[in-house]
Amino acid sequence: MLLFRFLIKNSKKLFLSFCFVTSIQTQISAKGFPKEYYEIEDANKAKEYFFEYMYKMVSYENRLIKKERQFIEDVLTSNILNIDFDSPTFHKLLDIKQKYKIKNIYTLQEYEKKVDIIPPSLALAQAALESGWGKSRFVSDANNIFGHWTYDPAFGIIPKKRDFGAKHFIRVFKSLQESVNAYMLNLNRNLAYKSFQETRFQQRIKNENPDGFKLSQTMLNYSGIAHEYLNLLKDIITINNLQNYDKRFYQSNY
């Protein structure tokens, strides 16, 4: 009887403890890149493996984005006055509006600026730089490739060198693919990357594919080292010929 009363009285605390333990288990299960990658001793082969592995994940997310973009164009270039507000089509449009933080649900140009692919060369360069070629603690402990933070302890782990009084955590992802998804959504909807979105849109207006090398120079707000960060991205893309991944992606018709 006493045990029953204790369980009733402390049910909320017990539930929160369970959630915390579940969060810790999720963090422990994060494993980063395949084991075989970390066993490659040749630096050039390791780079090739890293880029190929990342390219597959980036291409997958880009194809999903392209489908969303095509859906929007199909809906908003048809007779939108006849849209049934109770239809799955309208609800899907509404979901995309909320996902990308679109202000006006019927403004095609606003969608076109935000719902678009991330050039592979840019994503691969940032992945290499932010993750230490997939070998940082962010990756091994949290499947976090692009250095994302969170302020929710249920979804994060404490950075080793976090400043006194700071409250941010390293965000934990269930998989590397989920990390790539979050990175691309971040670039597409965050106001901090408005320059990226606008520059990419202008390239589209000129009937050009998004250029990862040029767009890398809009990432001023991605890192605290600012212009030095832009130079590092430029070097990684150039030295490793990452624009070939852009060509490969565009030639594949997505």
Side-chain angles (χ1 to χ4, degrees), residues 158-176:
I158 300 174
K160 285 185 176 180
K161 297 181 179 180
R162 187 174 69 174
D163 293 337
F164 179 78
K167 297 181 180 180
H168 66 276
F169 297 84
I170 298 170
R171 182 175 169 184
V172 175
F173 294 97
K174 294 179 181 178
S175 67
L176 295 178

Side-chain angles (χ1 to χ4, degrees), residues 91-107:
H91 286 287
K92 183 176 180 179
L93 182 65
L94 188 61
D95 286 342
I96 293 175
K97 172 189 179 296
Q98 294 171 338
K99 176 181 177 180
Y100 288 92
K101 297 182 179 179
I102 304 295
K103 293 181 180 179
N104 191 325
I105 191 170
Y106 295 123
T107 303

Side-chain angles (χ1 to χ4, degrees), residues 144-200:
N144 188 327
I145 303 173
F146 296 94
H148 287 133
W149 289 0
T150 180
Y151 288 91
D152 188 341
F155 297 97
I157 55 179
I158 300 174
K160 285 185 176 180
K161 297 181 179 180
R162 187 174 69 174
D163 293 337
F164 179 78
K167 297 181 180 180
H168 66 276
F169 297 84
I170 298 170
R171 182 175 169 184
V172 175
F173 294 97
K174 294 179 181 178
S175 67
L176 295 178
Q177 190 70 55
E178 188 179 67
S179 177
V180 176
N181 175 280
Y183 157 76
M184 299 174 99
L185 183 59
N186 184 37
L187 292 194
N188 276 338
R189 74 176 182 181
N190 197 319
L191 280 175
Y193 310 113
K194 186 175 181 179
S195 176
F196 164 79
Q197 297 157 15
E198 291 284 351
T199 302
R200 181 181 56 184

Side-chain angles (χ1 to χ4, degrees), residues 83-150:
I83 291 180
D84 181 357
F85 297 124
D86 293 322
S87 69
T89 296
F90 178 75
H91 286 287
K92 183 176 180 179
L93 182 65
L94 188 61
D95 286 342
I96 293 175
K97 172 189 179 296
Q98 294 171 338
K99 176 181 177 180
Y100 288 92
K101 297 182 179 179
I102 304 295
K103 293 181 180 179
N104 191 325
I105 191 170
Y106 295 123
T107 303
L108 178 59
Q109 181 172 300
E110 193 177 349
Y111 287 97
E112 289 179 331
K113 287 183 180 180
K114 291 188 172 184
V115 187
D116 203 349
I117 64 103
I118 309 298
S121 63
L122 173 60
L124 269 53
Q126 289 198 271
L129 190 54
E130 294 293 333
S131 72
W133 298 92
K135 298 178 181 179
S136 73
R137 178 179 175 240
F138 278 36
V139 174
S140 62
D141 291 4
N143 277 329
N144 188 327
I145 303 173
F146 296 94
H148 287 133
W149 289 0
T150 180

